[in-house]
Amino acid sequence: MMAVTIGFLGLGILFSFIALGMPIGFAMGLVGFTGFAVIISFDAAIVRIGVTAYDLATNEAIGTIPLFLFMAHVLFASGIGRDLYDFASRWLGRRRGGLAMATVGASSGFAAVSASSLATTATMGLVAMPEMRKHNYNVSMASGSVVAGGTIGSLIPPSGMFIIYGILTETSIGKMFAAGIIPGILLALFYMIAIAIWCRLDPNAGPRGPKYTLKEKLWSFTRTGEVIVLFALVMGGIVLGWFTPTEAGAIGAFGAIVVSVARRRLTWAAARTAIYSTLKTTGMIFGILFGALVFNSFITASTIPLNIVNFVTDSGLPPMAVLFLVLGVYFVLGMVLDASAMMTLTIPLFFPLMMNLGFDAILFGVLVVRMTEIALITPPVGMNVYILSGVVKDIPLEKIFKGALPFVAADILHVAMLIGFPIIVLWLPSL
């Protein structure tokens, strides 16, 4: 049997395992090991397992994951999500749809310290939804702003998806972090514009919120200032080259402890919960990465990526057409797979192709991460939607998905802008 045939057979088996509910990391590792053994040899597969485990364990970039996760969980325990929402709502809440805009703004800030779209959605669901419902916001608009705001976590560093992409493709994680800052800010603005248009079409969808004095607005900043300074230090240090992403993670984790202790919000119980959650999430991510790297070796040995490159090259399609096709595949896959599964499954296939066509690895990474995160608010998977549904149990799923549609449209326009003006992505990394 030809290697490429074994490769496609392995892909089919992998999708079957995932459909049956097998954990993605274990499924990829099992299929990757078996396929590599069939194509090369059993002994070579054993060696590949050992080499992959050693490379993963000694990869300095992998240390970024638990450090930033610990920073996120400590700040979560300190109640930073509620503080950020209070800050944003006092400045934006007086406008029509202002509380929904505040939710997007607070999500951007919380995403900057949580590194997790799901954590951002859960936090904003607990904090923002009661306020918007109290002010008679349209349920679809309120829930849509929460689930869409959560996806900003994919771009605002320290993004867990950027870390995974960097490890899988050996792209600088520091440059990926820098590349996500401006697109992340723009995405928040796109969402706010979508809310403003929605309120223009239906003024009752987002009634005006309470009015605050300038003194009250400035006072709300005092409760978030240290976190903003911490984020600026961590990300500014990476962009300016003061320290590596791993060192930045250590500084961020230490700073999170200092901030939480200074606020007298970090109890022993909260600290234990933060440590346990960090270890649990880190173990899950390491398992996925190990399985993905083993699977990558199998896919490379099957020559599928090489055949795809040759097929596209011989087809005569312009590179931009190929890019749109690849992004379209991500949009469709997002309806049945979660973000991490999509990335680990597709990067071995598409990354060599896009590099061969001359695309920048950083630009392609930002586009891939953006497309995988759109999947968090599209049916039928839509993990952010299910997270919010679990937090606010009395809102039907169809209303949340309906509320997410205008934000999906904003996402598509945002991706088109990044493709049309790549300098938005590449300017900060170029520094």
Side-chain angles (χ1 to χ4, degrees), residues 48 60 64 83 141 271 308 329 345:
R48 173 51 58 186
E60 182 182 350
T64 308
D83 291 342
M141 171 184 280
I308 291 176
V329 169
L345 282 172

Side-chain angles (χ1 to χ4, degrees), residues 92 95-107 132 137-138 140-149 152 187-207 403-407 410:
L92 297 172
R95 300 175 58 87
R96 289 196 182 277
L99 292 180
M101 295 179 187
T103 300
V104 170
S107 295
M132 286 190 281
Y137 266 60
N138 178 290
S140 292
M141 171 184 280
S143 57
S145 64
V146 171
V147 297
I152 301 175
L187 181 60
L189 292 176
F190 270 57
Y191 284 169
M192 291 182 185
I193 291 171
I195 293 169
I197 294 173
W198 192 334
C199 290
R200 176 63 65 89
L201 298 174
D202 181 8
N204 294 324
L405 287 178
F407 299 98

Side-chain angles (χ1 to χ4, degrees), residues 199-234:
C199 290
R200 176 63 65 89
L201 298 174
D202 181 8
N204 294 324
R208 296 183 187 275
K211 186 176 182 179
Y212 294 96
T213 64
L214 179 61
K215 182 179 179 180
E216 290 174 319
K217 292 178 179 178
L218 293 175
W219 175 252
S220 66
F221 177 77
T222 62
R223 300 170 60 186
T224 58
E226 63 266 53
V227 176
I228 295 173
V229 171
L230 177 62
F231 170 70
L233 173 64
V234 170

